[in-house]
Amino acid sequence: MKKEKSSVPEMFDRISPQYDMANRVLSLGLDMRWRRSLADQLPSRENLSLLDLATGTGDQIAALFESGASIEKAAGIDLSSGMLGIAESKFAKKPYGKKTAFQQADAEKLPFPDNTFDVCSFSFGIRNVNDPLKALSEMYRVTAPRGRCLILEFSLPDNLFRKPYLFYLRHLLPRLGGWISKDREAYRYLNKTIEQFTYGEAFLDWMKQCGWMQATAIPLLFGSVTLYRGDKP
Ligand SMILES: C[S@@+](CC[C@H](N)C(=O)[O-])C[C@H]1O[C@@H](n2cnc3c(N)ncnc32)[C@H](O)[C@@H]1O
């Protein structure tokens, strides 16, 4: 059951105050490790400009700056004003806060000219958009030649870990998430979007269709999360 686009930002507005805490608890702190894995895939160039799509509370941008990479400036866009409000107040206290600008915008219609950024990242957000191919094409459009996209998204393990992971997704995660966020509906939505979303080779095909070259998938935690990388020639 796919939520209509209009209701997704409202749901994230509602859970925004508890979002970071829920992430830490539900992933046993591993979300921060996954974000660092994404940062490890940054191109090794100086003065990178970054765009983080569906940035939420900004934790992916923070991990990118804290990786020690040479980053000149970053932009974070999201549809939820609640999530962006939390990001802005967190970044006001960070040394890289002045290098970062947050803006309310749609990942399917980015308000930036062609070839603007060296890197576009998209963490745990692409399964929430109505048209992921549109978002992948928009990322490609705003990425500069020799630039890179880095995408983190949930996936389903194709191994022995699948059964226990599905049990966690279907039974524990909605209860725990609902308890922390006081919003059971939001965390029921989470497990459905994870189970229904495209991953692995099929997602790499989407990336290639949108122009991304050398598209690669790196499975994390037995394949329950996948890090995708693609380059713009
Ligand atoms: C699961 S959160 C991920 C947030 C953040 N990237 C992270 O790693 O914690 C998904 C985010 O996608 C945002 N979102 C959903 N659809 C969007 C769209 N079309 N454009 C921009 N943001 C969107 C939601 O508002 C929410 O903040």
Side-chain angles (χ1 to χ4, degrees):
M1 184 190 58
K2 190 150 179 131
K3 273 199 176 297
E4 282 312 308
K5 186 192 237 172
S6 56
S7 63
V8 171
E10 284 153 21
M11 184 189 80
F12 281 102
D13 282 345
R14 285 200 313 275
I15 63 170
S16 57
Q18 287 83 30
Y19 178 81
D20 286 350
M21 157 91 99
N23 266 354
R24 290 313 94 78
V25 174
L26 297 174
S27 74
L28 304 172
L30 290 172
D31 71 300
M32 297 310 271
R33 189 184 290 183
W34 299 328
R35 296 176 200 287
R36 286 196 292 273
S37 300
L38 183 149
D40 289 343
Q41 299 292 325
L42 283 173
S44 52
R45 297 207 298 271
E46 300 286 299
N47 300 322
L48 296 171
S49 62
L50 308 177
L51 170 65
D52 187 45
L53 291 91
T55 196
T57 60
D59 279 352
Q60 185 58 67
I61 301 184
L64 288 162
F65 274 111
E66 287 168 18
S67 72
S70 167
I71 300 173
E72 193 187 337
K73 59 182 181 262
I77 65 106
D78 200 285
L79 279 179
S80 159
S81 55
M83 297 288 269
L84 289 171
I86 307 257
E88 274 164 354
S89 49
K90 276 169 28 181
F91 274 59
K93 299 172 213 132
K94 301 276 188 194
Y96 40 79
K98 286 201 167 58
K99 291 183 170 186
T100 309
F102 292 103
Q103 183 176 343
Q104 193 168 22
D106 189 344
E108 294 179 46
K109 200 169 176 236
L110 294 171
F112 303 106
D114 298 356
N115 307 324
T116 304
F117 299 98
D118 298 310
V119 176
C120 282
S121 56
F122 207 156
S123 295
F124 306 109
I126 196 159
R127 72 178 193 287
N128 293 118
V129 306
N130 279 342
D131 185 349
L133 284 160
K134 185 90 199 346
L136 286 168
S137 300
E138 275 293 87
M139 282 173 101
Y140 190 84
R141 181 183 68 75
V142 303
T143 301
R146 295 180 54 241
R148 177 165 287 177
C149 79
L150 295 167
I151 301 168
L152 267 177
E153 194 47 272
F154 293 107
S155 44
L156 294 178
D158 293 320
N159 50 37
L160 283 175
F161 193 60
R162 189 181 182 95
K163 249 184 153 175
Y165 182 62
L166 284 175
F167 180 82
Y168 171 73
L169 267 189
R170 289 174 186 166
H171 303 289
L172 303 180
L173 181 137
R175 286 187 177 82
L176 264 175
W179 179 67
I180 297 167
S181 68
K182 315 274 177 279
D183 192 325
R184 284 194 77 161
E185 152 74 5
Y187 284 85
R188 267 202 296 270
Y189 166 71
L190 175 62
N191 84 57
K192 285 186 186 126
T193 58
I194 294 174
E195 286 195 48
Q196 288 163 4
F197 196 64
T198 299
Y199 63 93
E201 283 301 323
F203 189 85
L204 290 176
D205 283 344
W206 280 0
M207 290 176 68
K208 290 174 200 161
Q209 276 179 52
C210 297
W212 293 105
M213 306 289 279
Q214 283 97 36
T216 311
I218 304 167
L220 305 172
L221 191 66
F222 311 109
S224 57
V225 169
T226 303
L227 171 57
Y228 301 94
R229 189 186 69 215
D231 290 333
K232 180 163 172 176

